[in-house]
PDB file of all heavy atoms in Angstrom:
ATOM      1  N   ARG A  92      31.349 -23.660  71.475  1.00 90.00           N
ATOM      2  CA  ARG A  92      30.554 -23.851  72.686  1.00 90.00           C
ATOM      3  C   ARG A  92      31.418 -24.090  73.917  1.00 90.00           C
ATOM      4  O   ARG A  92      31.005 -23.814  75.046  1.00 90.00           O
ATOM      5  CB  ARG A  92      29.606 -25.048  72.502  1.00 90.00           C
ATOM      6  CG  ARG A  92      28.466 -24.791  71.529  1.00 90.00           C
ATOM      7  CD  ARG A  92      27.587 -26.025  71.413  1.00 90.00           C
ATOM      8  NE  ARG A  92      26.468 -25.824  70.497  1.00 90.00           N
ATOM      9  CZ  ARG A  92      25.556 -26.747  70.237  1.00 90.00           C
ATOM     10  NH1 ARG A  92      25.633 -27.939  70.806  1.00 90.00           N
ATOM     11  NH2 ARG A  92      24.562 -26.478  69.405  1.00 90.00           N
ATOM     12  N   GLU A  93      32.618 -24.604  73.693  1.00 88.00           N
ATOM     13  CA  GLU A  93      33.500 -24.925  74.819  1.00 88.00           C
ATOM     14  C   GLU A  93      34.532 -23.839  75.089  1.00 88.00           C
ATOM     15  O   GLU A  93      35.335 -23.960  76.008  1.00 88.00           O
ATOM     16  CB  GLU A  93      34.211 -26.261  74.545  1.00 88.00           C
ATOM     17  CG  GLU A  93      33.245 -27.436  74.454  1.00 88.00           C
ATOM     18  CD  GLU A  93      33.916 -28.714  73.975  1.00 88.00           C
ATOM     19  OE1 GLU A  93      35.110 -28.632  73.570  1.00 88.00           O
ATOM     20  OE2 GLU A  93      33.257 -29.771  73.990  1.00 88.00           O
ATOM     21  N   ASP A  94      34.536 -22.770  74.297  1.00 87.00           N
ATOM     22  CA  ASP A  94      35.534 -21.711  74.433  1.00 87.00           C
ATOM     23  C   ASP A  94      34.909 -20.496  75.127  1.00 87.00           C
ATOM     24  O   ASP A  94      34.104 -19.776  74.538  1.00 87.00           O
ATOM     25  CB  ASP A  94      36.063 -21.321  73.048  1.00 87.00           C
ATOM     26  CG  ASP A  94      37.307 -20.456  73.130  1.00 87.00           C
ATOM     27  OD1 ASP A  94      37.221 -19.363  73.708  1.00 87.00           O
ATOM     28  OD2 ASP A  94      38.366 -20.881  72.631  1.00 87.00           O
ATOM     29  N   LYS A  95      35.285 -20.254  76.374  1.00 90.00           N
ATOM     30  CA  LYS A  95      34.697 -19.171  77.164  1.00 90.00           C
ATOM     31  C   LYS A  95      34.994 -17.804  76.566  1.00 90.00           C
ATOM     32  O   LYS A  95      34.155 -16.904  76.600  1.00 90.00           O
ATOM     33  CB  LYS A  95      35.210 -19.233  78.603  1.00 90.00           C
ATOM     34  CG  LYS A  95      34.708 -20.432  79.396  1.00 90.00           C
ATOM     35  CD  LYS A  95      35.218 -20.392  80.822  1.00 90.00           C
ATOM     36  CE  LYS A  95      34.704 -21.590  81.619  1.00 90.00           C
ATOM     37  NZ  LYS A  95      35.205 -21.568  83.025  1.00 90.00           N
ATOM     38  N   GLN A  96      36.196 -17.643  76.005  1.00 89.00           N
ATOM     39  CA  GLN A  96      36.578 -16.359  75.444  1.00 89.00           C
ATOM     40  C   GLN A  96      35.747 -16.023  74.213  1.00 89.00           C
ATOM     41  O   GLN A  96      35.270 -14.887  74.051  1.00 89.00           O
ATOM     42  CB  GLN A  96      38.068 -16.360  75.087  1.00 89.00           C
ATOM     43  CG  GLN A  96      38.615 -14.988  74.722  1.00 89.00           C
ATOM     44  CD  GLN A  96      40.106 -15.011  74.410  1.00 89.00           C
ATOM     45  OE1 GLN A  96      40.713 -16.079  74.334  1.00 89.00           O
ATOM     46  NE2 GLN A  96      40.690 -13.850  74.225  1.00 89.00           N
ATOM     47  N   ALA A  97      35.553 -17.002  73.351  1.00 88.00           N
ATOM     48  CA  ALA A  97      34.747 -16.780  72.146  1.00 88.00           C
ATOM     49  C   ALA A  97      33.298 -16.468  72.522  1.00 88.00           C
ATOM     50  O   ALA A  97      32.680 -15.553  71.966  1.00 88.00           O
ATOM     51  CB  ALA A  97      34.817 -18.001  71.231  1.00 88.00           C
ATOM     52  N   LYS A  98      32.736 -17.211  73.482  1.00 92.00           N
ATOM     53  CA  LYS A  98      31.357 -16.979  73.898  1.00 92.00           C
ATOM     54  C   LYS A  98      31.194 -15.615  74.569  1.00 92.00           C
ATOM     55  O   LYS A  98      30.183 -14.945  74.406  1.00 92.00           O
ATOM     56  CB  LYS A  98      30.897 -18.100  74.826  1.00 92.00           C
ATOM     57  CG  LYS A  98      30.668 -19.412  74.105  1.00 92.00           C
ATOM     58  CD  LYS A  98      30.430 -20.564  75.063  1.00 92.00           C
ATOM     59  CE  LYS A  98      29.113 -20.471  75.751  1.00 92.00           C
ATOM     60  NZ  LYS A  98      28.839 -21.649  76.598  1.00 92.00           N
ATOM     61  N   SER A  99      32.225 -15.189  75.326  1.00 93.00           N
ATOM     62  CA  SER A  99      32.178 -13.872  75.960  1.00 93.00           C
ATOM     63  C   SER A  99      32.114 -12.764  74.921  1.00 93.00           C
ATOM     64  O   SER A  99      31.368 -11.779  75.065  1.00 93.00           O
ATOM     65  CB  SER A  99      33.402 -13.682  76.852  1.00 93.00           C
ATOM     66  OG  SER A  99      33.455 -12.379  77.386  1.00 93.00           O
ATOM     67  N   LYS A 100      32.869 -12.924  73.837  1.00 92.00           N
ATOM     68  CA  LYS A 100      32.847 -11.917  72.777  1.00 92.00           C
ATOM     69  C   LYS A 100      31.520 -11.954  72.010  1.00 92.00           C
ATOM     70  O   LYS A 100      31.044 -10.914  71.535  1.00 92.00           O
ATOM     71  CB  LYS A 100      34.039 -12.123  71.845  1.00 92.00           C
ATOM     72  CG  LYS A 100      35.383 -11.804  72.523  1.00 92.00           C
ATOM     73  CD  LYS A 100      36.557 -11.976  71.581  1.00 92.00           C
ATOM     74  CE  LYS A 100      37.874 -11.807  72.323  1.00 92.00           C
ATOM     75  NZ  LYS A 100      38.089 -10.434  72.798  1.00 92.00           N
ATOM     76  N   LEU A 101      30.930 -13.141  71.899  1.00 95.00           N
ATOM     77  CA  LEU A 101      29.623 -13.235  71.269  1.00 95.00           C
ATOM     78  C   LEU A 101      28.571 -12.496  72.097  1.00 95.00           C
ATOM     79  O   LEU A 101      27.683 -11.828  71.548  1.00 95.00           O
ATOM     80  CB  LEU A 101      29.224 -14.704  71.093  1.00 95.00           C
ATOM     81  CG  LEU A 101      27.855 -14.982  70.457  1.00 95.00           C
ATOM     82  CD1 LEU A 101      27.767 -14.358  69.065  1.00 95.00           C
ATOM     83  CD2 LEU A 101      27.584 -16.475  70.392  1.00 95.00           C
ATOM     84  N   VAL A 102      28.667 -12.583  73.414  1.00 97.00           N
ATOM     85  CA  VAL A 102      27.742 -11.855  74.291  1.00 97.00           C
ATOM     86  C   VAL A 102      27.903 -10.347  74.094  1.00 97.00           C
ATOM     87  O   VAL A 102      26.916  -9.597  74.074  1.00 97.00           O
ATOM     88  CB  VAL A 102      27.962 -12.240  75.766  1.00 97.00           C
ATOM     89  CG1 VAL A 102      27.139 -11.338  76.691  1.00 97.00           C
ATOM     90  CG2 VAL A 102      27.580 -13.698  76.005  1.00 97.00           C
ATOM     91  N   LYS A 103      29.137  -9.885  73.920  1.00 96.00           N
ATOM     92  CA  LYS A 103      29.365  -8.459  73.658  1.00 96.00           C
ATOM     93  C   LYS A 103      28.728  -8.040  72.336  1.00 96.00           C
ATOM     94  O   LYS A 103      28.145  -6.958  72.226  1.00 96.00           O
ATOM     95  CB  LYS A 103      30.863  -8.154  73.649  1.00 96.00           C
ATOM     96  CG  LYS A 103      31.515  -8.201  75.021  1.00 96.00           C
ATOM     97  CD  LYS A 103      32.990  -7.803  74.952  1.00 96.00           C
ATOM     98  CE  LYS A 103      33.635  -7.855  76.333  1.00 96.00           C
ATOM     99  NZ  LYS A 103      35.081  -7.492  76.281  1.00 96.00           N
ATOM    100  N   SER A 104      28.839  -8.904  71.339  1.00 96.00           N
ATOM    101  CA  SER A 104      28.190  -8.613  70.059  1.00 96.00           C
ATOM    102  C   SER A 104      26.674  -8.539  70.235  1.00 96.00           C
ATOM    103  O   SER A 104      26.004  -7.669  69.642  1.00 96.00           O
ATOM    104  CB  SER A 104      28.545  -9.691  69.032  1.00 96.00           C
ATOM    105  OG  SER A 104      29.928  -9.723  68.762  1.00 96.00           O
ATOM    106  N   TYR A 105      26.140  -9.428  71.062  1.00 98.00           N
ATOM    107  CA  TYR A 105      24.700  -9.450  71.334  1.00 98.00           C
ATOM    108  C   TYR A 105      24.268  -8.152  72.014  1.00 98.00           C
ATOM    109  O   TYR A 105      23.266  -7.526  71.626  1.00 98.00           O
ATOM    110  CB  TYR A 105      24.391 -10.660  72.205  1.00 98.00           C
ATOM    111  CG  TYR A 105      22.934 -10.827  72.586  1.00 98.00           C
ATOM    112  CD1 TYR A 105      21.935 -10.816  71.630  1.00 98.00           C
ATOM    113  CD2 TYR A 105      22.566 -11.020  73.921  1.00 98.00           C
ATOM    114  CE1 TYR A 105      20.611 -10.984  71.978  1.00 98.00           C
ATOM    115  CE2 TYR A 105      21.249 -11.196  74.278  1.00 98.00           C
ATOM    116  CZ  TYR A 105      20.264 -11.163  73.312  1.00 98.00           C
ATOM    117  OH  TYR A 105      18.951 -11.329  73.657  1.00 98.00           O
TER     118      TYR A 105
END
Side-chain angles (χ1 to χ4, degrees):
R92 289 180 179 181
E93 296 171 352
D94 193 299
K95 291 182 180 180
Q96 190 178 7
K98 288 171 70 175
S99 175
K100 292 181 186 293
L101 179 59
V102 172
K103 288 184 180 179
S104 297
Y105 180 52

